[in-house]
Amino acid sequence: MQTYQRIRRKKVAEINVVPYIDVMLVLLIIFMAVTPVITQGVKVDLPQAESEQLPEDAKPPFIVSVNTDGEYVIKAGEADDEPVPAGTPEAMQQYITEKAMGYLAINQNAPVVVAGDKSVRYEEVILLMVALKNAGVPQVGLMTDPVN
């Protein structure tokens, strides 16, 4: 009689990475589809003009945007856009100047810029600039698109 001897195989301690790759690709597709929806910002059609760009080593600016509906949006440096609560023009300007002065207290010498839509009344932009200057902002700039 012949006896067969069992051959013992060593256990393989490998991780199957194929399911992880599948999950990663699905997540990549989801993030690619969702990212444009998450991007926030106020649509401002800036006027075109020849102007200087901020230096590369400049601190992130404090930007106040005014869109065609007269709505104000604040972007303080790298933070997300923050809509200004609706109210009287004086109350909105007071809110904006408080935020600007708070940002400048932390980020000294950071530029303060007004981004006014080109169809916004000139008075809206001037009143905002005057309110910022009266609050103690040393310089207020105007944001433009470069000329093509």
Side-chain angles (χ1 to χ4, degrees):
M1 228 174 178
Q2 208 174 21
T3 61
Y4 292 98
Q5 190 173 16
R6 244 184 199 192
I7 301 174
R8 290 192 172 182
R9 295 186 183 192
K10 291 182 179 180
K11 292 185 179 180
V12 179
E14 291 181 5
I15 298 175
N16 188 2
V17 295
V18 174
Y20 298 115
I21 293 172
D22 291 344
V23 169
M24 181 195 64
L25 291 175
V26 168
L27 288 173
L28 177 67
I29 291 169
I30 290 171
F31 288 135
M32 287 173 54
V34 172
T35 300
V37 176
I38 293 175
T39 303
Q40 296 179 351
V42 62
K43 177 67 175 146
V44 177
D45 190 17
L46 294 172
Q48 291 185 345
E50 291 184 26
S51 59
E52 284 185 37
Q53 290 186 346
L54 290 175
E56 292 292 324
D57 60 344
K59 294 182 179 179
F62 181 87
I63 302 172
V64 182
S65 301
V66 185
N67 65 11
T68 54
D69 299 328
E71 298 169 342
Y72 294 96
V73 176
I74 296 172
K75 180 161 179 61
E78 303 297 326
D80 291 335
D81 292 349
E82 176 187 343
V84 175
T88 64
E90 294 81 19
M92 291 192 308
Q93 289 175 359
Q94 178 66 27
Y95 181 84
I96 293 168
T97 54
E98 287 175 3
K99 289 289 188 174
M101 294 311 292
Y103 182 75
L104 289 176
I106 297 169
N107 302 299
Q108 296 175 353
N109 299 327
V112 177
V113 182
V114 174
D117 193 284
K118 64 182 174 184
S119 62
V120 169
R121 289 186 6 234
Y122 183 63
E123 181 182 23
E124 298 269 344
V125 176
I126 294 300
L127 288 175
L128 180 59
M129 291 179 70
V130 168
L132 289 167
K133 285 298 269 185
N134 289 341
V137 175
Q139 290 184 325
V140 179
L142 292 173
M143 186 178 285
T144 61
D145 276 338
V147 177
N148 293 336

